[in-house]
Amino acid sequence: MGQPESEGYRAAGQSELPPGQRLQRGWPVTHYGPVPKFRPERWEFRVFGATADGEKRCWNHEQFSELPFSSVVADLHCVTKFSMLGSEWGGVPASVVLGLAPPAADVTHVMVWAEYGFSSNLRLADFASERTLFATHKDGELLTAEHGFPLRLVVPHLYAWKGPKWVRGIEYMTADRRGFWEERGYHNIGDPWSEQRYSYQEKPGDGPEL
Ligand SMILES: Nc1nc2c(c(=O)[nH]1)N[C@H]1C(S)=C(S)[C@@H](COP(=O)(O)O)O[C@H]1N2
Ligand SMILES: [Mo]
């Protein structure tokens, strides 16, 4: 498969391995810290920061599960070099959240927040990709606790650390700021197709100073 046209295959959700990645059979569990316990009565999904109307937006678990559901076939690429291809993720598209709680006009980045203060920053365009999804399901089944239940972000075109498990909200930002792994040596953008693995590979403009 040639390079330029592979863009089209990827956009169509066709599986292919990025450079330096190997295929993984099964689904390993990879994260920092403990698996949080889900407490439905305390769970809420919050949109805050630079919203268009200056107001915060909040959904409890029941309300969030009533949002429009769709699915995306996408691969998971861990920066430690394993990839899992062709999973069907089901959940709420990021575009739905953007539509219901729009960002102010000067928003450029989104911080995705998860349990225990885990975070990951994305350019607004990466977050707004039509394939970015707040997933509740994989291959038709509810996520398990260790894989992010009740909600994880899937950003198909970036390394998997850009998709926090146990997501609790997003913050609209008018300037870029590093998230958890981006502050700890990982690349600010994280495009697996150009192997943006580590922060020392960043070029001017790729991210805020460390
Ligand atoms: N909250 C949280 N989400 C996270 C991480 C983490 O450390 N904390 N690690 C990321 C990384 S590095 C990867 S590869 C994927 C792994 O998802 P999996 O355990 O379901 O395979 O989760 C991502 N989401
Ligand atoms: Mo990872």
Side-chain angles (χ1 to χ4, degrees):
M1 214 175 279
Q3 273 127 27
E5 60 268 46
S6 62
E7 192 65 47
Y9 287 99
R10 296 204 301 269
Q14 199 76 200
S15 294
E16 190 188 343
L17 274 182
Q21 294 294 110
R22 58 187 142 65
L23 199 61
Q24 173 76 41
R25 305 216 178 271
W27 191 8
V29 172
T30 315
H31 60 262
Y32 175 80
V35 174
K37 188 169 162 39
F38 173 55
R39 293 188 178 84
E41 69 289 351
R42 285 212 219 145
W43 191 95
E44 57 180 20
F45 183 92
R46 301 203 318 140
V47 181
F48 61 103
T51 55
D53 60 6
E55 300 287 320
K56 293 184 181 63
R57 193 67 207 266
C58 202
W59 287 275
N60 66 27
H61 190 249
E62 193 186 333
Q63 292 163 334
F64 196 87
S65 34
E66 284 160 6
L67 295 180
F69 183 96
S70 64
S71 59
V72 162
V73 175
D75 308 330
L76 182 148
H77 308 298
C78 176
V79 70
T80 63
K81 302 200 165 177
F82 71 81
S83 288
M84 185 176 71
L85 300 181
S87 301
E88 187 194 319
W89 302 94
V92 179
S95 60
V96 166
V97 173
L98 282 165
L100 292 171
D106 55 347
V107 167
T108 54
H109 292 81
V110 177
M111 189 72 80
V112 182
W113 288 101
E115 301 284 357
Y116 301 133
F118 183 84
S119 61
S120 184
N121 58 317
L122 294 166
R123 297 177 294 195
L124 179 59
D126 290 321
F127 180 75
S129 157
E130 60 179 16
R131 307 191 65 227
T132 300
L133 186 84
F134 289 98
T136 54
H137 290 72
K138 181 185 158 287
D139 297 322
E141 298 197 4
L142 262 188
L143 293 173
T144 57
E146 60 273 25
H147 287 301
F149 179 81
L151 196 67
R152 74 182 290 167
L153 187 69
V154 174
V155 189
H157 64 286
L158 298 178
Y159 283 118
W161 87 79
K162 289 289 186 181
K165 302 193 278 193
W166 315 296
V167 195
R168 290 291 300 275
I170 60 167
E171 176 186 357
Y172 291 138
M173 306 194 293
T174 55
D176 200 4
R177 221 168 69 215
R178 289 174 187 271
F180 183 88
W181 289 120
E182 295 81 5
E183 272 185 337
R184 290 168 175 77
Y186 289 91
H187 198 283
N188 191 56
I189 297 170
D191 174 10
W193 302 95
S194 42
E195 288 207 75
Q196 293 176 331
R197 296 177 188 274
Y198 308 110
S199 52
Y200 67 76
Q201 300 171 302
E202 289 175 17
K203 303 211 165 46
D206 281 349
E209 295 220 354
L210 267 165

